[in-house]
């Protein structure tokens, strides 16, 4: 590692992208600095002490992969980072930051809390000699509401605030607005770009400098072009601090909330994608069940990709597959590699998803090769009961999904167990697998509405022992004065894991009806349906 930064007092890096929500689209500085792979995290490096900050999903992974003698491990929060800097760096310290990785909102808060510290802008790519990425693109148009009708949301914003222009820095919002996707972008098929929309209804696209084949100007030109406008609106939660303007006005991007409510046409495509994905997972489970020899984590990663590739509309993964064997399943977002490729002794937690024409999927199953132990069955059944409580929920209209989060945890809490992640998240329309603003979390206050696509994924994790997570996709719908949910992932739960004595009548009835629907999947071959009939039991 280039140590020139040590000429200053410290370095602050918070894992983010200058393209919101796309943490895996560029060089992974968090892994570079710490050796740990995670979708979220931060690091402060100083001459004497270092600290890495992670959320609950990565606490165990950090403990296992980071040398605690050289680096503290702390909970991830902006306030926690600020506090650590105050306690470990003296006032007037110079701290290197790369403005691309900080939104206006984040850096302004940090600077307001650390008025006596000096933040030095630095291009980390240049500082650490990071090689330039060369990208190709493969743009397709996708079905959806007409582009002009979608752009009216931004035009109205410009008119309401009397702006000269509005800058959209979220590639998922741009992809949705323009009805385009880029099949060459890993995991989230969007073009890495910003979109400037003017009061004259002109649209200007600016793309990442890494593209080799694009007819559009790069983002560096955008920085100059903004000077042509007197007032520019942008969402300070999204626009990177590297984008500056003399009159940049903080106006919330309305598109994430709008696109979280899917059209009927979008839902038809998403459900079709879920059927194909469910068939791929069932084929994997059958292979897992029938394979007598050794199975490793990496082999599982390859095999689920192979089964997805057999589906007619599959494009690629929606995130890096989590295949965690036995005690590794206790690491919430475990990433298998050739260096730590563990053989599956009994239990496998498989969390994976795909991008399809035209839908995004995310599903998790915990499965066993042989009869689980009593404690393992208890953990699985408590998680399953929480999952079923969410799937069967009937929420009065006007409430957030925080109610669902409480329902999912209730059975675990009775045994003094819990999990350190949210119960679910929004899912995009051939976009991000984690799509805001909705989430099933006690911290989320967004109102549940009809036609939202959500994951339902409670879990439990016991360090050095076992991890269980059960995840389906579901679609919200209006039923009178209530919001209810249709589960669209159709994959059986592992009956070997279930303690049926802990299930009530309604739970057994739901499982029976759910398992009946599974065999009606048009993407399942006849012999697989016959195999399923032996592995789906009535309760």
């Amino acid at each position: 590692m280039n140590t020139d930064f040590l000429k200053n007092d410290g370095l602050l890096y918070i894992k983010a992208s200058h393209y919101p929500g796309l943490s895996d689209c560029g060089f992974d500085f968090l892994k570079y600095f710490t050796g740990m792979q995670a979708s979220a995290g931060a690091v402060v490096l100083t001459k004497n002490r270092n600290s890495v900050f992670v959320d609950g999903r990565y606490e165990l992974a950090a403990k296992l992969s980071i040398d605690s003698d050289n680096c503290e491990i702390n909970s991830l929060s902006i306030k926690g980072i600020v506090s650590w800097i105050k306690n470990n760096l003296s006032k007037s310290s110079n701290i290197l930051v790369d403005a691309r990785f900080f939104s206006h909102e984040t850096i302004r808060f940090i600077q307001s809390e650390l008025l006596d510290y000096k933040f030095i802008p630095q291009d980390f790519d240049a500082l650490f000699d990071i090689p330039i990425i060369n990208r190709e693109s493969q743009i397709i148009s996708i079905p959806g509401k007409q582009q002009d009708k979608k752009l009216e949301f931004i035009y109205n914003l410009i008119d309401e605030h009397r702006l000269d222009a509005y800058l959209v820095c979220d590639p998922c919002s741009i992809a949705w607005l323009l009805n385009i996707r880029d099949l060459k972008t890993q995991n989230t098929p969007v073009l890495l770009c910003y979109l400037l929309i003017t009061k004259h209804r002109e649209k200007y696209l600016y793309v990442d400098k890494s593209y080799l084949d694009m007819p559009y100007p790069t983002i560096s030109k955008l920085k100059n072009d903004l000077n042509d406008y007197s007032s520019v609106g942008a969402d300070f939660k999204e626009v990177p601090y590297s984008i500056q303007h003399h009159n940049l006005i903080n106006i919330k991007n309305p598109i994430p909330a709008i696109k979280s409510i899917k059209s009927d046409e979008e839902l038809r495509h998403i459900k079709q994608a879920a059927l194909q994905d469910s068939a791929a997972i069932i084929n994997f489970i059958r292979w897992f069940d029938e394979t007598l020899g050794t199975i490793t984590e990496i082999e599982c990663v390859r095999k689920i990709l192979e089964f997805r590739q057999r589906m007619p509309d599959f494009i690629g993964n929606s995130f890096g597959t989590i295949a965690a064997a036995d005690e590794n399943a206790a690491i919430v977002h475990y990433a298998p590699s050739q260096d730590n490729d563990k053989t599956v002794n009994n239990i496998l937690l498989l969390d994976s998803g795909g991008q399809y024409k035209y839908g995004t999927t995310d599903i998790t199953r915990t499965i066993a090769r042989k009869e689980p132990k009593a404690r393992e069955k208890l953990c699985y059944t408590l998680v399953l009961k929480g999952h079923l409580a969410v799937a069967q929920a009937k929420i009065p209209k006007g409430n957030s999904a925080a109610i669902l989060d409480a329902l999912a945890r209730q059975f675990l809490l009775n045994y003094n167990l819990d999990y350190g992640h949210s119960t679910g998240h929004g899912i995009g329309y051939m976009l991000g697998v984690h799509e805001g603003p909705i989430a099933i979390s006690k911290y989320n206050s967004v109102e549940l509405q009809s036609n939202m696509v959500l994951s339902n994924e409670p879990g439990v994790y016991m360090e050095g022992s076992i991890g269980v997570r059960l995840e389906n996709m579901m679609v919200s719908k209006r039923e009178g004065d209530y919001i209810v949910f249709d589960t669209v992932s159709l994959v059986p739960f592992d009956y070997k894991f279930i303690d049926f004595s802990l299930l009530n009548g309604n739970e057994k009835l739901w499982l029976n009806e759910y398992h009946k629907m599974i065999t009606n999947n048009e993407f399942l071959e006849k012999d697989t349906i016959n195999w399923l009939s032996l592995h789906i039991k009535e309760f």
Side-chain angles (χ1 to χ4, degrees), residues 115-305:
L115 294 172
D116 298 317
Y117 296 77
K118 186 175 182 181
F119 292 90
I120 311 297
Q122 175 69 60
D123 182 337
F124 284 2
D125 288 348
L127 178 62
F128 296 104
D129 300 319
I130 305 304
I132 296 173
I133 297 172
N134 291 322
R135 298 181 188 276
E136 296 179 343
S137 62
Q138 185 182 346
I139 307 298
I140 64 166
S141 298
I142 72 162
K145 186 188 293 185
Q146 287 183 353
Q147 184 186 125
D148 287 344
K149 291 183 178 179
K150 291 182 176 182
L151 286 166
E152 282 295 331
F153 294 115
I154 302 298
Y155 298 153
N156 292 339
L157 200 69
I158 291 171
D159 294 343
E160 178 187 350
H161 294 275
R162 298 182 178 180
L163 301 170
D164 287 333
Y166 188 83
L167 178 63
V168 183
C169 293
D170 170 24
C172 287
S173 292
I174 297 167
W176 184 85
L177 280 167
L178 304 182
N179 289 333
I180 60 171
R181 303 292 187 268
D182 183 0
L183 303 187
K184 292 291 188 178
T185 304
Q186 182 182 12
N187 297 337
T188 307
V190 295
L191 187 66
L192 303 183
C193 63
Y194 298 155
L195 178 66
L196 185 68
I197 303 169
T198 76
K199 65 182 181 181
H200 301 300
R201 286 21 182 186
E202 299 160 324
K203 305 185 296 292
Y204 298 103
L205 204 61
Y206 297 85
V207 301
D208 191 89
K209 64 181 180 182
S210 60
Y211 286 107
L212 299 173
D213 58 350
M214 299 301 294
Y216 305 106
T218 63
I219 289 167
S220 60
K221 187 174 187 300
L222 166 66
K223 298 174 184 179
N224 294 323
D225 289 356
L226 287 177
N227 294 325
D228 295 337
Y229 304 93
S230 297
S231 59
V232 178
D235 191 330
F236 281 15
K237 290 180 182 292
E238 295 177 354
V239 60
Y241 200 60
S242 55
I243 301 292
Q244 295 288 333
H245 183 265
H246 63 276
N247 191 18
L248 194 64
I249 302 167
N250 183 18
I251 300 172
K252 185 176 182 179
N253 177 7
I255 301 307
I258 294 166
K259 68 182 174 64
S260 72
I261 301 170
K262 309 298 187 280
S263 69
D264 290 341
E265 180 183 21
E266 289 171 338
L267 285 180
R268 283 196 300 273
H269 289 297
I270 290 168
K271 290 176 180 178
Q272 186 79 350
L275 281 176
Q276 294 185 39
D277 206 60
S278 297
I281 295 291
I282 290 170
N283 289 334
F284 173 88
I285 294 173
R286 180 182 177 186
W287 166 81
F288 185 83
D289 181 71
E290 293 180 341
T291 300
L292 299 178
T294 297
I295 297 176
T296 71
E297 294 168 333
I298 294 294
E299 189 176 5
C300 291
V301 171
R302 291 174 181 151
K303 205 69 184 178
I304 187 55
L305 177 60

Side-chain angles (χ1 to χ4, degrees), residues 279 282-283 286-287 290 307 310 519 521-535:
I282 290 170
N283 289 334
R286 180 182 177 186
W287 166 81
E290 293 180 341
F307 285 122
R310 296 179 187 177
T519 56
N521 189 335
E522 63 185 283
F523 297 101
L524 289 175
E525 295 179 356
K526 187 174 181 180
D527 63 330
T528 301
I529 293 174
N530 292 336
W531 173 84
L532 271 174
S533 66
L534 302 174
H535 290 76

